Amino acid sequence: MKNYLYKQFYRNKAYISALIFLVLAGIMAIYTGKKFLDRNQDIIASSEQFQKESIRKNVNYHQDDLGLILYYVKFNLINETPKLAAMNIGMRDVNPSVQGVTIRNLEEQRYNADFYNPASAAAGNFDFSFVLVFLFPLIIVAFCYNIISEEEESGRWKLLSVQSRDLGKLLDMKLLIRFLAVSAVYFLLIFIAFLWISVPLDMNFLAFIIAGWLYIVFWFVLCRWIISFRKSSAQNALILLIVWVGINFIIPMSSNILIQKFYPVQESLKAVMQQREGYHNKWDEPKQPTMEKFYKAYPQFSRFTVKEDDSFSWTWYYAMQHMGDMEASLSSRQYNEKMAKRNQAAQILGYFLPNIHTQLEGSRLAETGMDNHLNFGAGLKKFHEEKRLFFYPLIFSGQHPEALDWNRQTVKAFRENISADPAALFLPYLLMITILLILSQIKFRKLC
């Protein structure tokens, strides 16, 4: 019987065509990820060369004024992109992997990003996670929706009931054959990605693989439960497609609207406006209040005095630049807190919807999600402060540009050390799979 079921499945040209379609779609998605990584590396290489050229040109052009040189020169911080990002591009296509900042105000600079096509952003990336989350379930539904109903509609069900002692095992064997076929395609694509993209076989990649496979298991168990109600083929297909549309589109979109309502975010624009107003207003205000606030923030620079009747000094200029950032600091902090809360709300929703959980955890492991974006923002702030504190005393003391070793001002990199949390990653899958197995098993017992 087992050999017959195998032959029956693999002789079906529609099934084989569906598996080939999955393989081709997966290869195209892996190619998209590879091109993304290559383009990202080109941008990083260009940023290193651009920073060197910028420093060289500005040092040659403003030979006697260090403050003016540092007004123009941008220092680049790279958000390192792991190879696993090719499997889940996430937010990396709209958030820059390289951020250049001068030692002037930060809040205005940190929200500058490359322009992108909003239509492409809305559609998302055709990466491996897209194929896994959206296309694999459709093929699974097409394979499983009529396993019972086809037998009943063709009139073979009564014959099978007489010949087979355990119809549940027979149906499970059919499901197992389909599960093995889809799993084989999944692991084939993982192997292709491993060779083509050279993804390191570390714990994050292994966690990514297992999470994706458990998502496939979830859909097979869900199909097992739905078909156990012994509805018609059309009803089974309709129910499963409604579930697919509901958990992939309707529920996420409705939840996103609610999350945006509960955590409205206007603070990024507000921070930029506050920074600009705080900085520009200083031109018309007395210098001493600005300097007192600056000395309070950085007592080590109190020896660099500024007189009220001074026409211009770089000490006062960079002090009022930083004061603009300080006046916008509350809005900036509120923005980060609200974005973190939005992300936490999405993660909680993911505990009940495996597709969202798969996307969010995949982007976390690949360092392409909101967590990475917020952490990179914090790293950029620290990087900006390190540059300011290094150059401030040199500028304030009137150091000559030639006294600096500009070759030491190289591009820096930010890298997260993400580690997989097995409980948080796998438990939502296992709970959902277990519940559906129990529910479907209760129905399957009635088939015997």
Side-chain angles (χ1 to χ4, degrees), residues 301-380:
F301 300 135
S302 59
R303 69 182 188 275
F304 301 108
T305 58
V306 174
K307 296 180 180 179
E308 192 63 50
D309 57 352
D310 288 345
S311 59
F312 180 84
S313 73
W314 285 116
T315 305
W316 167 72
Y317 178 81
Y318 283 108
M320 70 174 183
Q321 284 276 347
H322 183 60
M323 286 304 101
D325 273 348
M326 290 186 66
E327 291 183 13
S329 60
L330 177 60
S331 294
S332 178
R333 185 168 64 252
Q334 289 175 340
Y335 167 79
N336 289 327
E337 289 173 354
K338 285 187 177 181
M339 294 305 293
K341 287 179 179 178
R342 281 187 175 188
N343 194 49
Q344 290 171 2
Q347 288 175 342
I348 292 172
L349 182 63
Y351 294 151
F352 304 95
L353 297 177
N355 58 312
I356 293 179
H357 187 67
T358 302
Q359 289 176 311
L360 289 178
E361 288 300 317
S363 63
R364 191 183 70 84
L365 293 171
E367 300 177 21
T368 60
M370 179 57 69
D371 287 334
N372 175 264
H373 175 62
L374 295 176
N375 291 337
F376 178 63
L380 182 67

Coordinates of all heavy atoms in Angstrom, one line a residue, residues 301-380:
F301 N 35.4 70.6 29.1 CA 35.7 71.6 28.1 C 35.4 73.1 28.7 O 35.4 74.0 27.9 CB 34.8 71.4 26.9 CG 35.0 70.1 26.2 CD1 33.9 69.4 25.8 CD2 36.2 69.6 26.0 CE1 34.1 68.1 25.2 CE2 36.4 68.4 25.3 CZ 35.3 67.7 24.9
S302 N 35.2 73.2 30.0 CA 35.0 74.5 30.6 C 36.2 75.4 30.5 O 36.0 76.6 30.6 CB 34.5 74.3 32.0 OG 35.6 73.7 32.8
R303 N 37.3 74.9 30.2 CA 38.5 75.7 30.1 C 38.5 76.5 28.8 O 39.3 77.5 28.7 CB 39.8 74.9 30.3 CG 40.1 73.9 29.1 CD 41.4 73.1 29.4 NE 41.8 72.3 28.3 CZ 41.3 71.1 28.0 NH1 40.4 70.6 28.8 NH2 41.7 70.4 27.0
F304 N 37.7 76.1 27.8 CA 37.7 76.8 26.6 C 36.6 77.8 26.7 O 35.4 77.6 26.4 CB 37.4 75.8 25.4 CG 38.4 74.7 25.3 CD1 38.1 73.4 25.6 CD2 39.7 75.0 24.8 CE1 39.1 72.4 25.5 CE2 40.6 74.0 24.6 CZ 40.4 72.7 25.0
T305 N 36.9 79.0 27.1 CA 35.9 80.1 27.3 C 35.5 80.8 26.1 O 36.3 80.9 25.1 CB 36.5 81.1 28.3 OG1 37.7 81.6 27.8 CG2 36.8 80.4 29.7
V306 N 34.3 81.3 26.1 CA 33.8 82.1 25.0 C 33.3 83.4 25.6 O 32.5 83.4 26.5 CB 32.7 81.4 24.3 CG1 32.0 82.3 23.2 CG2 33.2 80.1 23.6
K307 N 33.7 84.5 25.0 CA 33.3 85.8 25.5 C 32.0 86.3 24.7 O 31.8 85.9 23.5 CB 34.3 86.9 25.3 CG 35.6 86.6 26.1 CD 36.6 87.7 25.9 CE 37.9 87.4 26.8 NZ 38.9 88.4 26.5
E308 N 31.2 87.0 25.4 CA 29.9 87.4 24.8 C 30.1 88.3 23.6 O 29.3 88.3 22.6 CB 29.1 88.2 25.8 CG 27.6 88.4 25.4 CD 26.9 87.1 25.3 OE1 26.9 86.3 26.2 OE2 26.2 87.0 24.2
D309 N 31.2 89.1 23.6 CA 31.4 90.0 22.4 C 32.2 89.4 21.3 O 32.6 90.1 20.3 CB 32.1 91.3 22.9 CG 33.4 91.0 23.6 OD1 33.7 89.9 23.9 OD2 34.1 92.0 23.9
D310 N 32.6 88.1 21.4 CA 33.3 87.4 20.4 C 32.4 87.3 19.1 O 31.2 87.0 19.2 CB 33.7 86.0 20.8 CG 34.8 86.0 21.8 OD1 35.5 87.0 21.9 OD2 35.0 84.9 22.4
S311 N 32.9 87.7 18.0 CA 32.1 87.7 16.8 C 31.8 86.2 16.4 O 30.6 85.9 16.0 CB 32.9 88.4 15.6 OG 34.1 87.7 15.4
F312 N 32.7 85.3 16.4 CA 32.5 83.9 16.1 C 33.6 83.1 16.7 O 34.8 83.5 16.7 CB 32.5 83.7 14.6 CG 32.2 82.3 14.2 CD1 31.0 81.8 14.1 CD2 33.3 81.5 13.8 CE1 30.8 80.4 13.7 CE2 33.1 80.1 13.5 CZ 31.8 79.6 13.4
S313 N 33.3 81.9 17.1 CA 34.3 80.9 17.6 C 33.7 79.6 17.3 O 32.5 79.3 17.5 CB 34.7 81.1 19.1 OG 33.6 80.7 19.9
W314 N 34.6 78.6 17.0 CA 34.1 77.3 16.8 C 33.6 76.6 18.0 O 32.8 75.7 18.0 CB 35.2 76.4 16.1 CG 35.5 76.7 14.7 CD1 36.6 77.2 14.1 CD2 34.6 76.5 13.6 NE1 36.5 77.4 12.8 CE2 35.2 76.9 12.4 CE3 33.3 76.1 13.5 CZ2 34.6 76.9 11.2 CZ3 32.7 76.0 12.3 CH2 33.3 76.4 11.1
T315 N 34.2 77.0 19.2 CA 33.7 76.5 20.5 C 32.2 76.8 20.7 O 31.5 75.9 21.0 CB 34.5 77.1 21.6 OG1 35.9 76.9 21.4 CG2 34.1 76.4 22.9
W316 N 31.9 78.0 20.4 CA 30.4 78.4 20.6 C 29.6 77.7 19.5 O 28.5 77.3 19.8 CB 30.3 79.9 20.5 CG 28.9 80.4 20.3 CD1 27.9 80.4 21.2 CD2 28.3 80.9 19.1 NE1 26.8 80.9 20.7 CE2 27.0 81.2 19.4 CE3 28.8 81.2 17.8 CZ2 26.1 81.8 18.5 CZ3 28.0 81.8 16.9 CH2 26.6 82.1 17.2
Y317 N 30.1 77.6 18.3 CA 29.3 77.1 17.2 C 29.0 75.6 17.4 O 27.8 75.2 17.3 CB 30.1 77.2 15.9 CG 29.4 76.6 14.7 CD1 28.3 77.3 14.0 CD2 29.7 75.3 14.2 CE1 27.6 76.7 13.0 CE2 29.0 74.7 13.2 CZ 28.0 75.4 12.6 OH 27.3 74.8 11.5
Y318 N 30.0 74.8 17.8 CA 29.7 73.4 18.0 C 28.9 73.2 19.3 O 28.2 72.2 19.4 CB 31.0 72.6 18.0 CG 31.6 72.4 16.6 CD1 32.7 73.0 16.1 CD2 30.9 71.5 15.7 CE1 33.2 72.8 14.8 CE2 31.4 71.3 14.4 CZ 32.5 71.9 14.0 OH 32.9 71.8 12.7
A319 N 29.1 74.1 20.3 CA 28.3 74.0 21.5 C 26.8 74.2 21.2 O 26.0 73.4 21.7 CB 28.8 75.0 22.5
M320 N 26.5 75.2 20.4 CA 25.1 75.4 20.1 C 24.5 74.3 19.1 O 23.3 74.0 19.2 CB 24.8 76.8 19.5 CG 25.4 77.0 18.1 SD 24.9 78.7 17.5 CE 25.5 78.7 15.9
Q321 N 25.4 73.7 18.3 CA 24.9 72.6 17.5 C 24.5 71.4 18.4 O 23.4 70.8 18.2 CB 26.1 72.1 16.6 CG 26.3 72.9 15.4 CD 25.4 72.6 14.2 OE1 24.8 71.6 14.2 NE2 25.4 73.5 13.2
H322 N 25.3 71.2 19.4 CA 25.0 70.1 20.4 C 23.8 70.5 21.2 O 23.0 69.6 21.6 CB 26.2 69.8 21.3 CG 25.9 68.6 22.2 ND1 25.6 67.4 21.7 CD2 25.9 68.5 23.5 CE1 25.4 66.5 22.7 NE2 25.6 67.2 23.8
M323 N 23.6 71.7 21.6 CA 22.4 72.1 22.3 C 21.1 71.9 21.6 O 20.1 71.5 22.1 CB 22.5 73.6 22.7 CG 23.5 73.9 23.8 SD 23.2 73.0 25.3 CE 24.5 71.7 25.2
G324 N 21.2 72.0 20.2 CA 20.0 71.7 19.4 C 19.7 70.2 19.6 O 18.5 69.9 19.7
D325 N 20.7 69.3 19.6 CA 20.4 67.9 19.8 C 19.8 67.6 21.2 O 18.9 66.8 21.3 CB 21.7 67.1 19.6 CG 22.0 66.7 18.2 OD1 21.1 66.9 17.4 OD2 23.1 66.3 17.9
M326 N 20.4 68.3 22.2 CA 19.9 68.1 23.5 C 18.4 68.5 23.7 O 17.6 67.9 24.4 CB 20.7 68.9 24.5 CG 22.1 68.3 24.7 SD 23.1 69.1 26.0 CE 22.2 68.6 27.5
E327 N 18.0 69.6 23.0 CA 16.6 70.1 23.1 C 15.7 69.1 22.3 O 14.5 69.0 22.6 CB 16.5 71.5 22.5 CG 17.2 72.5 23.3 CD 17.0 73.9 22.8 OE1 16.2 74.1 21.9 OE2 17.7 74.8 23.2
A328 N 16.2 68.3 21.4 CA 15.4 67.3 20.7 C 15.5 65.9 21.3 O 14.9 65.0 20.8 CB 15.8 67.3 19.2
S329 N 16.3 65.8 22.4 CA 16.6 64.4 22.9 C 15.4 63.7 23.5 O 15.2 62.5 23.3 CB 17.7 64.6 24.0 OG 17.2 65.4 25.1
L330 N 14.4 64.5 24.1 CA 13.2 63.9 24.6 C 12.4 63.3 23.5 O 11.9 62.1 23.6 CB 12.4 64.9 25.4 CG 11.0 64.4 25.9 CD1 11.3 63.2 26.9 CD2 10.3 65.5 26.6
S331 N 12.2 64.0 22.4 CA 11.4 63.5 21.3 C 12.1 62.3 20.6 O 11.4 61.3 20.2 CB 11.2 64.6 20.2 OG 10.4 65.6 20.7
S332 N 13.4 62.3 20.5 CA 14.2 61.2 20.0 C 14.0 60.0 20.8 O 13.8 58.9 20.3 CB 15.6 61.6 19.9 OG 16.4 60.5 19.3
R333 N 14.1 60.1 22.1 CA 13.9 59.0 23.0 C 12.5 58.4 23.0 O 12.3 57.2 22.9 CB 14.3 59.4 24.5 CG 14.3 58.2 25.4 CD 14.9 58.6 26.8 NE 14.1 59.7 27.5 CZ 14.5 60.9 27.6 NH1 15.6 61.3 27.1 NH2 13.7 61.8 28.2
Q334 N 11.5 59.3 22.9 CA 10.1 58.9 22.8 C 9.9 58.1 21.5 O 9.1 57.1 21.4 CB 9.2 60.1 22.9 CG 9.1 60.7 24.2 CD 8.2 61.9 24.3 OE1 8.0 62.6 23.2 NE2 7.8 62.3 25.4
Y335 N 10.5 58.6 20.4 CA 10.4 57.9 19.1 C 10.9 56.4 19.2 O 10.3 55.5 18.8 CB 11.1 58.6 18.0 CG 11.3 57.9 16.8 CD1 10.3 57.7 15.8 CD2 12.6 57.2 16.5 CE1 10.5 57.0 14.7 CE2 12.8 56.5 15.3 CZ 11.7 56.4 14.4 OH 11.9 55.7 13.3
N336 N 12.1 56.3 19.8 CA 12.7 55.0 19.9 C 11.9 54.1 20.8 O 11.7 52.9 20.5 CB 14.1 55.1 20.5 CG 15.1 55.7 19.5 OD1 15.0 55.5 18.3 ND2 16.1 56.4 20.0
E337 N 11.3 54.6 21.9 CA 10.5 53.8 22.8 C 9.2 53.3 22.1 O 8.8 52.2 22.3 CB 10.2 54.7 24.1 CG 11.3 54.9 25.0 CD 11.0 55.8 26.1 OE1 9.9 56.4 26.1 OE2 11.9 56.0 27.0
K338 N 8.6 54.2 21.4 CA 7.3 53.8 20.7 C 7.6 52.8 19.6 O 6.8 51.9 19.4 CB 6.6 55.1 20.1 CG 6.0 55.9 21.2 CD 5.2 57.1 20.5 CE 4.4 57.9 21.6 NZ 3.6 59.0 21.0
M339 N 8.7 53.0 18.9 CA 9.0 52.0 17.8 C 9.3 50.6 18.4 O 8.9 49.6 17.9 CB 10.2 52.5 17.0 CG 9.9 53.7 16.1 SD 8.5 53.5 15.0 CE 9.0 52.3 13.9
A340 N 10.0 50.6 19.6 CA 10.2 49.4 20.3 C 8.9 48.7 20.8 O 8.8 47.5 20.7 CB 11.2 49.6 21.5
K341 N 8.0 49.5 21.3 CA 6.7 49.0 21.7 C 5.9 48.5 20.5 O 5.2 47.4 20.7 CB 5.9 50.1 22.4 CG 6.4 50.5 23.8 CD 5.6 51.6 24.4 CE 6.2 51.9 25.8 NZ 5.4 53.0 26.5
R342 N 6.0 49.1 19.4 CA 5.3 48.6 18.2 C 5.9 47.2 17.8 O 5.1 46.3 17.5 CB 5.5 49.5 17.0 CG 4.6 50.8 17.0 CD 4.8 51.5 15.7 NE 3.9 52.6 15.6 CZ 3.7 53.4 14.5 NH1 4.4 53.1 13.4 NH2 2.9 54.4 14.4
N343 N 7.2 47.1 17.9 CA 7.8 45.8 17.6 C 7.4 44.8 18.6 O 7.2 43.6 18.2 CB 9.4 46.0 17.6 CG 10.1 44.9 16.9 OD1 9.7 44.5 15.8 ND2 11.1 44.4 17.6
Q344 N 7.4 45.1 19.9 CA 7.0 44.2 20.9 C 5.5 43.7 20.7 O 5.2 42.5 20.8 CB 7.1 44.8 22.3 CG 8.5 45.0 22.7 CD 8.7 45.8 24.0 OE1 7.6 46.2 24.6 NE2 9.9 46.1 24.4
A345 N 4.6 44.6 20.3 CA 3.3 44.3 20.0 C 3.2 43.3 18.8 O 2.4 42.3 18.8 CB 2.4 45.5 19.7
A346 N 4.0 43.5 17.8 CA 4.0 42.6 16.7 C 4.6 41.2 17.1 O 4.1 40.2 16.6 CB 4.9 43.2 15.6
Q347 N 5.5 41.2 18.0 CA 6.1 39.9 18.4 C 5.0 39.1 19.2 O 4.9 37.9 19.1 CB 7.3 40.2 19.3 CG 8.5 40.6 18.5 CD 9.7 41.0 19.4 OE1 9.6 41.2 20.6 NE2 10.9 41.0 18.8
I348 N 4.2 39.8 20.0 CA 3.2 39.2 20.8 C 2.1 38.6 19.8 O 1.7 37.4 20.0 CB 2.5 40.1 21.8 CG1 3.5 40.5 22.9 CG2 1.3 39.5 22.4 CD1 3.0 41.6 23.8
L349 N 1.8 39.3 18.8 CA 0.9 38.8 17.8 C 1.4 37.6 17.1 O 0.7 36.6 16.8 CB 0.6 39.9 16.8 CG -0.4 39.6 15.6 CD1 -1.8 39.3 16.2 CD2 -0.5 40.7 14.6
G350 N 2.8 37.6 16.9 CA 3.4 36.5 16.3 C 3.4 35.2 17.1 O 3.4 34.1 16.5
Y351 N 3.2 35.3 18.4 CA 3.0 34.1 19.2 C 1.7 33.3 18.8 O 1.6 32.1 19.1 CB 3.0 34.4 20.7 CG 4.2 35.0 21.2 CD1 4.2 35.9 22.3 CD2 5.5 34.7 20.7 CE1 5.4 36.4 22.8 CE2 6.7 35.2 21.1 CZ 6.6 36.1 22.2 OH 7.8 36.6 22.7
F352 N 0.8 34.0 18.2 CA -0.5 33.3 17.8 C -0.6 33.1 16.3 O -1.4 32.4 15.8 CB -1.7 34.2 18.3 CG -1.7 34.5 19.7 CD1 -1.1 35.6 20.2 CD2 -2.2 33.5 20.6 CE1 -1.1 35.9 21.6 CE2 -2.2 33.8 22.0 CZ -1.6 35.0 22.5
L353 N 0.2 33.8 15.5 CA 0.2 33.7 14.1 C 1.6 33.2 13.6 O 2.6 34.0 13.6 CB -0.2 35.0 13.4 CG -1.6 35.5 13.7 CD1 -1.8 36.8 13.0 CD2 -2.6 34.5 13.2
P354 N 1.8 32.0 13.2 CA 3.1 31.5 12.9 C 3.8 32.2 11.7 O 5.0 32.3 11.6 CB 2.9 30.0 12.5 CG 1.6 29.6 13.3 CD 0.8 30.9 13.3
N355 N 3.0 32.7 10.8 CA 3.6 33.4 9.6 C 4.3 34.7 10.1 O 5.4 35.0 9.7 CB 2.5 33.8 8.6 CG 1.4 34.6 9.2 OD1 0.8 34.3 10.3 ND2 1.0 35.7 8.5
I356 N 3.6 35.5 11.0 CA 4.3 36.7 11.5 C 5.5 36.3 12.4 O 6.5 37.0 12.3 CB 3.2 37.5 12.3 CG1 2.2 38.0 11.4 CG2 3.9 38.6 13.1 CD1 1.1 38.8 12.1
H357 N 5.3 35.3 13.2 CA 6.5 34.8 14.0 C 7.6 34.4 13.1 O 8.8 34.7 13.5 CB 6.0 33.6 14.9 CG 7.0 33.2 15.9 ND1 7.4 33.9 17.0 CD2 7.7 32.0 16.0 CE1 8.3 33.3 17.7 NE2 8.5 32.1 17.1
T358 N 7.4 33.7 12.0 CA 8.4 33.3 11.1 C 9.2 34.5 10.5 O 10.4 34.6 10.5 CB 7.9 32.4 10.0 OG1 7.2 31.3 10.6 CG2 9.0 32.0 9.1
Q359 N 8.4 35.5 10.1 CA 9.0 36.7 9.5 C 9.8 37.5 10.5 O 10.9 37.9 10.2 CB 7.9 37.6 8.9 CG 7.3 37.0 7.6 CD 6.1 37.9 7.1 OE1 5.2 38.2 7.9 NE2 6.1 38.1 5.9
L360 N 9.2 37.7 11.7 CA 9.9 38.5 12.7 C 11.2 37.9 13.2 O 12.2 38.5 13.4 CB 8.9 38.8 13.9 CG 7.8 39.8 13.6 CD1 6.9 40.0 14.8 CD2 8.3 41.2 13.1
E361 N 11.0 36.6 13.6 CA 12.2 35.9 14.1 C 13.3 35.7 13.0 O 14.5 35.8 13.3 CB 11.8 34.5 14.7 CG 11.0 34.6 16.0 CD 11.8 35.3 17.1 OE1 13.0 35.0 17.2 OE2 11.2 36.1 17.8
G362 N 12.8 35.5 11.8 CA 13.8 35.4 10.7 C 14.6 36.7 10.5 O 15.8 36.7 10.3
S363 N 13.9 37.8 10.6 CA 14.5 39.1 10.5 C 15.4 39.4 11.7 O 16.4 40.1 11.5 CB 13.5 40.2 10.3 OG 12.7 40.4 11.4
R364 N 15.0 38.9 12.8 CA 15.9 39.1 14.0 C 17.2 38.4 13.9 O 18.3 38.9 14.2 CB 15.1 38.7 15.3 CG 15.8 39.1 16.6 CD 15.1 38.6 17.8 NE 15.2 37.2 17.9 CZ 16.2 36.6 18.5 NH1 17.2 37.3 19.0 NH2 16.2 35.3 18.6
L365 N 17.1 37.1 13.5 CA 18.3 36.3 13.3 C 19.2 36.8 12.2 O 20.4 36.7 12.3 CB 17.8 34.8 13.0 CG 17.1 34.1 14.1 CD1 16.6 32.7 13.6 CD2 18.1 33.8 15.3
A366 N 18.5 37.4 11.1 CA 19.3 37.9 10.0 C 19.8 39.3 10.2 O 20.4 39.9 9.4 CB 18.5 37.8 8.7
E367 N 19.3 39.9 11.4 CA 19.7 41.3 11.7 C 19.2 42.3 10.7 O 19.9 43.2 10.2 CB 21.2 41.5 11.9 CG 21.8 40.6 13.0 CD 23.3 40.7 13.1 OE1 23.9 41.7 12.6 OE2 23.9 39.8 13.7
T368 N 17.9 42.1 10.3 CA 17.3 43.0 9.3 C 16.0 43.6 9.7 O 15.3 44.2 8.9 CB 17.0 42.2 8.0 OG1 16.1 41.1 8.3 CG2 18.3 41.6 7.4
G369 N 15.6 43.4 11.0 CA 14.4 43.9 11.5 C 14.4 45.2 12.3 O 15.5 45.9 12.3
M370 N 13.3 45.5 13.0 CA 13.2 46.7 13.7 C 14.2 46.8 14.9 O 14.8 47.8 15.2 CB 11.8 46.9 14.2 CG 11.6 48.1 15.1 SD 12.0 49.7 14.2 CE 10.7 49.7 13.0
D371 N 14.5 45.6 15.5 CA 15.5 45.6 16.6 C 16.8 46.1 16.1 O 17.5 46.9 16.8 CB 15.6 44.1 17.1 CG 14.4 43.7 18.0 OD1 13.7 44.6 18.5 OD2 14.2 42.5 18.0
N372 N 17.2 45.6 15.0 CA 18.5 46.0 14.4 C 18.5 47.5 14.1 O 19.5 48.2 14.3 CB 18.9 45.2 13.2 CG 20.1 45.6 12.5 OD1 20.1 46.4 11.5 ND2 21.3 45.1 13.0
H373 N 17.4 48.0 13.5 CA 17.3 49.4 13.2 C 17.5 50.3 14.4 O 18.2 51.3 14.3 CB 16.0 49.6 12.5 CG 15.7 51.0 12.2 ND1 16.5 51.8 11.3 CD2 14.7 51.9 12.6 CE1 16.0 53.0 11.2 NE2 15.0 53.1 12.0
L374 N 16.8 49.9 15.5 CA 16.9 50.7 16.7 C 18.3 50.6 17.3 O 18.8 51.6 17.8 CB 15.8 50.3 17.7 CG 14.4 50.5 17.2 CD1 13.4 50.0 18.2 CD2 14.1 52.0 17.0
N375 N 18.8 49.4 17.3 CA 20.2 49.2 17.9 C 21.2 49.9 17.1 O 22.2 50.5 17.7 CB 20.5 47.7 18.0 CG 19.6 47.0 19.0 OD1 19.1 47.6 20.0 ND2 19.5 45.7 18.9
F376 N 21.1 49.9 15.8 CA 22.0 50.7 15.0 C 21.9 52.2 15.2 O 22.9 52.9 15.2 CB 21.8 50.4 13.5 CG 22.7 51.1 12.5 CD1 24.1 50.9 12.6 CD2 22.2 52.1 11.6 CE1 24.9 51.6 11.7 CE2 23.0 52.7 10.8 CZ 24.4 52.5 10.8
G377 N 20.7 52.7 15.5 CA 20.5 54.1 15.8 C 21.2 54.4 17.1 O 21.9 55.5 17.2
A378 N 21.2 53.5 18.1 CA 21.9 53.7 19.4 C 23.4 53.7 19.1 O 24.1 54.5 19.7 CB 21.5 52.7 20.4
G379 N 23.8 52.8 18.3 CA 25.2 52.7 17.9 C 25.7 53.9 17.2 O 26.9 54.4 17.4
L380 N 24.9 54.5 16.3 CA 25.2 55.7 15.6 C 25.4 56.9 16.6 O 26.3 57.7 16.4 CB 24.2 56.0 14.6 CG 24.4 57.2 13.7 CD1 25.6 57.0 12.8 CD2 23.2 57.5 12.8

